[in-house]
Amino acid sequence: MTATAPTHPSVVPTEPPALLLDGITKTYRSKAGAVDALRGVTYHFLRGSFTAVMGPSGSGKSTLLQCAAGLDQPTNGTVVLGGVSLHGLNEVALTKLRRKEMGFVFQAYNLLPSLTVYDNVALPLRLTGRRPSRNDVRRVLEQVGLEGMAKRRPAELSGGQQQRVAIARALITEPSVFFADEPTGALDSGTSRQVLSLLREATDQAGQTVVMVTHDPVAAAYAERVLFLSDGLIAGHLDRGTPAQIASAMSSLER
Ligand SMILES: Nc1ncnc2c1ncn2[C@@H]1O[C@H](COP(=O)(O)OP(=O)(O)OP(=O)(O)O)[C@@H](O)[C@H]1O
Ligand SMILES: [Mg+2]
């Protein structure tokens, strides 16, 4: 029997994007006035892609991530995740979708201090009403290199180890999209490499989609594409850039 070569899933043109941002604007209104944080962002994130989002401070990176993840509502425009429009979903449906389809890794690890590593990792499954199997928890802890640490509490771990717990916690639900905002912001370069490699593996081996905000050109070079934001708009992109090329593109944006 002859087997046909499988086509690469991320280049099949008919496949819907993992995440679609369609004409997203976001205006923050307060007593101090209105700030247009996003001014019309349209972008397709392909399934299995790893995209870094860069841009000067205040360019709208975190706002973009918050809106894309349904943690905040855009003023205009729609977000479509895996074919489901977030617009019009009520809070309950949105929370369900977020728990099932999205993983989050932030600079602050957001672990629960009173729970063990094991229970922190198992928590997202418990929240979706599934009973986490010991094997599932073991598997993701092994994946992030923390197999011996299941019984510790977050305070008994280094920053890098805590971030890896946060990644294990995001991996356990097998989300289709990972959102990461400065995931390596507080880590040394060696630990950053481990964390970034885990995100890279999520896309290469599991076909998950990663959207990562970062200021660090070395971190951004783990992504195949860097998307540059400037003043609430997409200012361009760079594919397969080296850290030096990414840094130089960034500095021309900041000029
Ligand atoms: N809750 C808020 N209320 C009012 N303005 C806000 C709010 N959050 C963000 N902004 C403003 O929106 C703009 C975009 O902010 P955002 O946090 O998305 O930037 P960023 O690119 O993530 O910056 P940084 O690199 O510093 O994290 C900024 O001008 C910021 O001051
Ligand atoms: Mg930010």
Side-chain angles (χ1 to χ4, degrees):
M1 199 176 87
T2 49
T4 35
T7 49
H8 196 284
S10 67
V11 295
V12 176
T14 49
E15 196 187 353
L19 174 67
L20 165 65
L21 308 180
D22 190 6
I24 302 294
T25 71
K26 178 71 183 180
T27 304
Y28 292 108
R29 290 177 202 287
S30 67
K31 283 187 193 133
V35 178
D36 293 317
L38 296 174
R39 299 191 295 132
V41 171
T42 295
Y43 194 75
H44 298 217
F45 293 90
L46 291 178
R47 206 170 294 278
S49 63
F50 185 165
T51 310
V53 179
M54 297 187 89
S57 181
S59 57
K61 304 179 297 295
S62 294
T63 304
L64 181 80
L65 213 66
Q66 299 279 326
C67 289
L71 293 166
D72 200 354
Q73 267 196 357
T75 307
N76 280 298
T78 46
V79 177
V80 183
L81 188 115
V84 178
S85 169
L86 304 192
H87 189 76
L89 289 186
N90 63 27
E91 204 44 53
V92 175
L94 199 55
T95 303
K96 242 188 185 164
L97 182 76
R98 221 185 277 126
R99 285 184 182 152
K100 189 158 170 276
E101 299 292 343
M102 306 184 199
F104 298 94
V105 185
F106 295 120
Q107 182 172 351
Y109 319 122
N110 301 324
L111 302 175
L112 294 180
S114 61
L115 297 185
T116 62
V117 165
Y118 184 99
D119 287 329
N120 264 288
V121 171
L123 186 63
L125 285 185
R126 294 214 168 94
L127 288 173
T128 58
R130 282 187 281 165
R131 235 177 81 96
S133 83
R134 219 165 254 280
N135 278 343
D136 287 343
V137 179
R138 289 264 152 77
R139 180 178 46 82
V140 291
L141 281 178
E142 207 169 287
Q143 209 177 332
V144 301
L146 292 180
E147 49 278 44
M149 313 231 169
K151 290 189 175 146
R152 295 209 202 174
R153 294 188 202 271
E156 298 161 348
L157 299 175
S158 72
Q161 290 166 338
Q162 290 185 54
Q163 190 59 302
R164 283 185 279 152
V165 175
I167 291 185
R169 181 186 54 185
L171 285 168
I172 198 158
T173 58
E174 300 176 326
S176 52
V177 183
F178 273 99
F179 294 101
D181 198 347
E182 296 283 350
T184 57
L187 305 179
D188 65 47
S189 60
T191 316
S192 294
R193 272 200 296 277
Q194 292 176 344
V195 164
L196 292 162
S197 302
L198 287 168
L199 293 176
R200 188 70 255 177
E201 273 169 30
T203 59
D204 293 347
Q205 288 167 24
Q208 289 160 312
T209 304
V210 175
V211 184
M212 174 181 76
V213 168
T214 182
H215 283 108
D216 177 5
V218 174
Y222 278 76
E224 63 263 11
R225 167 168 288 188
V226 183
L227 208 55
F228 294 100
L229 270 191
S230 173
D231 202 12
L233 290 171
I234 294 178
H237 65 259
L238 179 63
D239 287 343
R240 310 223 166 259
T242 62
Q245 290 166 332
I246 294 167
S248 125
M250 260 306 285
S251 58
S252 60
L253 261 189
E254 278 163 347
R255 227 172 272 143

